[in-house]
């Protein structure tokens, strides 16, 4: 039996990022860029106006004020999207709209509110400083700048930046195809829920959702019967995926053949059993570098072991560097007793209180109690060498989702 830390190190040491693929920038949302992105041009591409108003020579406005307007000749109209045709000379101005290129000769824009149009001339009621209301070419991004490094997570801001740079496609890390195999003679699909003696193969649903949540692509291989032939057939079929995840059949029961079958088809077992609860029978193997996870069958065990081991592996293969959930220290609201020697993953509900957080368990913690996951927004992690934690002490909590951060009311407006 190995420790959680050893298991995790072993797994992460044996997986590496997949190759790159070229996808359109909207499909790349949430994925990791696989190339350094340099700006092929300035943004904005030309000096342009930040206001609707008049482009002029700032020196022409010296002495202008509410009682002493200067009068300039209007030589043209430059709407956004059009190129100025004339240079602005002394005593001249061009009417200009926000975003339109600043004409040659002009070094400032006076906003329309400080002017009054009068036929072919305009009265300017305020002095303009050089550069006023002009957005300069390259003030956002300069040609040649490194705008994004390989390894950057693509968020909406990066999507916008790529489009501004004229990129409609970008290289990102491939998403792993994750084969899911359920094992057990008792399993049926959802529509067989009422059959006597049978239980629904819920693992392949929770696991598929977990795969999707971290950006993998689930491949449903289905339910393998508890016999070596059927198991071997399903595992062979699964070998076309990048990662294989099975559940159940890895304990010491008479029908637990998953490990035997893995070896039979050339998947070397690298470890079996981890000092943890839930998830002790967890198995890990590999064939030609392809990771194979034999997760335990109980619905909570399979979800928790996925969280601890499969998720970080998927994220690493997808090019992520930050592959772990955020952990928060929170004050326990109840005593926790545990067995020394095993690391415990306890389902909990965390919420903020004052400046910190408090966490309570979600009740009955049996590894078949899926409701304990439904109620949870975090996993309380208690180390091997501890057998009791008293209420009021701080524990580490892995945050499963952001629900504890969301609020019904806009609290940022409560000032
Ligand atoms: P096993 O390790 O095969 O003995 O399975 C442990 C427990 O998990 C048994 O109670 C199974 O019925 C249950 N189980 C196994 N596979 C699944 C699955 N795919 N969906 C839901 N429960 C399962
Ligand atoms: Mg079984």
């Amino acid at each position: 039996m190995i420790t959680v830390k050893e298991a995790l190190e072993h797994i992460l040491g044996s997986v590496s990022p997949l190759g790159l693929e070229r996808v359109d920038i909207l499909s790349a949302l949430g994925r990791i860029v696989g190339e350094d992105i340099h700006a092929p041009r300035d943004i904005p591409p030309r000096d342009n106006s930040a206001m609707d108003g008049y482009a002029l020579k700032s020196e022409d406005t010296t002495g202008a004020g509410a009682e002493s307007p200067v009068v300039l000749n209007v030589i043209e109209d430059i709407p956004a999207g059009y190129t100025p045709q004339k240079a602005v000379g002394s005593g001249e101005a061009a009417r200009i709209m926000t975003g339109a290129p600043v004409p040659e000769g002009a070094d400032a824009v006076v906003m329309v509110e400080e002017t009054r149009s009068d036929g072919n001339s305009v009265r300017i009621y305020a002095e303009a400083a050089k550069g006023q209301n002009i957005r300069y070419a390259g003030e956002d991004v300069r040609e040649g700048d490194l705008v994004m490094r390989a390894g950057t997570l693509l968020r909406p801001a990066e999507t916008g930046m790529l489009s501004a740079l004229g990129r409609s496609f970008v290289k990102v890390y491939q998403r792993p195809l994750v084969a899911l195999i359920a094992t057990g003679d008792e399993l049926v699909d959802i529509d067989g829920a009422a059959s006597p003696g049978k239980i629904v193969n819920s693992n392949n649903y929770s696991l598929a959702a977990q795969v999707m949540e971290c950006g993998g692509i689930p491949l449903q291989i289905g339910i393998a019967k508890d016999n070596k032939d059927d198991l071997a057939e399903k595992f062979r079929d699964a070998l076309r995926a990048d990662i294989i995840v099975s559940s159940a059949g890895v304990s010491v029961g008479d029908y637990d053949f998953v490990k035997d079958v893995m070896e039979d088809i050339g998947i070397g077992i690298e470890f079996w059993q981890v000092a943890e609860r839930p998830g002790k029978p967890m198995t890990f193997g590999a064939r030609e570098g392809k990771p194979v996870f034999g997760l335990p069958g109980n619905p909570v065990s399979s979800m928790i072991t996925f969280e601890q081991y499969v998720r970080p592996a998927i994220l690493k293969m997808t090019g992520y560097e930050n592959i772990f959930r955020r952990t928060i220290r929170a004050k326990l609201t109840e005593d926790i007793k545990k067995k020394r020697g095993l690391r415990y993953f306890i389902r909990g509900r965390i919420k903020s209180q004052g400046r910190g957080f408090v966490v309570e368990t979600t009740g009955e913690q049996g590894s078949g109690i899926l409701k304990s996951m439904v109620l949870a927004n975090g996993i309380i992690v208690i180390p091997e060498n501890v057998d009791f934690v008293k209420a009021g002490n701080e524990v580490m909590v892995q945050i499963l989702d952001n629900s504890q951060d969301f609020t019904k009311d806009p609290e940022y407006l409560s000032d």
Side-chain angles (χ1 to χ4, degrees):
M1 192 149 69
I2 63 175
T3 66
V4 169
K5 189 158 182 273
E6 288 164 343
L8 190 58
E9 281 170 2
H10 185 95
I11 290 165
L12 293 176
S14 63
V15 300
S16 40
L18 298 173
L20 304 179
E21 63 182 338
R22 209 169 149 266
V23 302
D24 73 86
I25 56 173
L26 280 177
S27 307
L29 186 66
R31 295 175 65 176
I32 302 293
V33 183
E35 57 177 327
D36 286 345
I37 309 273
H38 293 272
R41 55 173 182 244
D42 285 348
I43 304 176
R46 286 198 55 170
D47 296 353
N48 68 86
S49 178
M51 289 281 175
D52 295 330
Y54 289 86
L56 41 67
K57 288 189 176 301
S58 54
E59 64 198 24
D60 282 354
T61 63
T62 308
E67 307 300 330
S68 54
V70 298
V71 180
L72 302 174
N73 241 349
V74 178
I75 56 166
E76 72 169 325
D77 223 357
I78 315 165
Y82 289 84
T83 311
Q85 301 299 316
K86 297 177 184 162
V88 172
S90 289
E92 293 179 340
R95 188 166 163 74
I96 193 166
M97 300 298 133
T98 305
V102 174
E104 248 172 73
D107 66 1
V109 171
V110 173
M111 60 180 185
V112 72
E113 290 85 345
E114 294 173 343
T115 69
R116 188 177 306 153
S117 161
D118 188 5
N120 288 334
S121 62
V122 61
R123 276 186 265 183
I124 308 287
Y125 291 94
E127 282 192 349
K130 205 171 151 103
Q132 170 180 304
N133 295 328
I134 293 180
R135 302 188 289 218
Y136 287 104
E139 76 174 24
D140 184 355
V141 172
R142 278 225 174 277
E143 182 181 337
D145 277 359
L146 177 60
V147 181
M148 267 167 243
R149 276 180 199 289
T152 302
L153 172 66
L154 275 162
R155 305 166 305 157
E158 282 76 18
T159 310
M161 179 58 81
L162 286 169
S163 69
L165 296 172
R167 295 285 304 255
S168 41
F169 286 85
V170 63
K171 278 189 198 152
V172 291
Y173 285 94
Q174 287 167 17
R175 304 161 63 194
L177 188 60
V178 185
L180 299 174
I181 308 172
T183 77
D185 285 346
E186 75 280 29
L187 301 177
V188 288
D189 208 337
I190 296 176
D191 47 13
S195 328
K198 303 288 182 186
I199 63 161
V200 173
N201 167 20
S202 60
N203 289 358
N204 275 13
Y205 287 89
S206 48
L207 290 169
Q210 287 178 293
V211 168
M212 289 161 72
E213 196 192 35
C214 65
I217 304 167
L219 172 67
Q220 294 286 6
I221 302 291
I223 302 167
K225 293 281 178 200
D226 282 323
N227 65 70
K228 289 189 178 180
D229 287 345
D230 197 31
L231 278 165
E233 190 189 316
K234 297 288 191 300
F235 270 90
R236 276 203 197 91
D237 183 15
L239 283 169
R240 63 196 152 104
D242 300 304
I243 303 177
I244 300 173
V245 176
S246 72
S247 61
V250 286
S251 298
V252 289
D254 292 345
Y255 298 94
D256 291 339
F257 298 132
V258 166
K259 291 196 305 298
D260 295 349
V261 166
M262 279 166 66
E263 300 243 84
D264 289 349
I265 66 164
I267 299 168
I269 303 291
E270 306 205 345
F271 65 77
W272 172 55
Q273 291 193 329
V274 181
E276 63 188 354
R277 179 175 294 174
K280 187 169 144 214
M282 153 93 192
T283 306
F284 180 72
R287 194 175 113 144
E288 289 158 14
K290 183 171 294 186
V292 181
F293 295 86
L295 305 185
N298 277 303
V300 174
S301 313
S302 71
M303 286 194 78
I304 295 270
T305 47
F306 182 97
E307 264 301 317
Q308 303 310 315
Y309 307 108
V310 188
R311 185 177 192 275
I314 289 177
L315 290 174
K316 183 170 179 192
M317 291 171 79
T318 321
Y320 283 80
E321 283 168 16
N322 300 332
I323 58 177
F324 297 108
R325 298 275 196 196
R326 180 160 76 121
T327 48
I328 287 181
R329 286 184 180 283
K331 222 177 236 181
L332 258 184
T333 59
E334 64 202 276
D335 293 348
I336 289 182
K337 262 211 226 117
K338 71 179 271 291
K339 205 170 139 180
R340 204 182 280 273
L342 301 178
R343 182 165 289 252
Y344 274 36
F345 300 109
I346 297 166
R347 280 71 74 200
R349 185 121 209 115
I350 184 169
K351 60 178 186 210
S352 55
Q353 188 179 85
R355 293 188 179 192
F357 291 89
V358 292
V359 65
E360 60 183 10
T361 71
T362 57
E364 177 57 60
Q365 295 286 314
S367 55
I369 309 293
L370 195 49
K371 197 172 70 195
S372 68
M373 288 298 296
V374 171
L375 296 173
N377 62 1
I379 299 173
I380 304 167
V381 186
I382 315 271
E384 294 81 354
N385 60 0
V386 171
D387 62 5
F388 179 73
V389 190
K390 206 171 166 36
N393 283 5
E394 276 195 342
V395 287
M396 294 295 286
V397 185
Q398 290 176 332
I399 302 301
L400 289 178
D401 57 56
N402 294 322
S403 59
Q404 84 288 342
D405 295 333
F406 296 159
T407 56
K408 266 198 214 79
D409 300 310
E411 288 178 359
Y412 52 88
L413 297 181
S414 62
D415 48 320

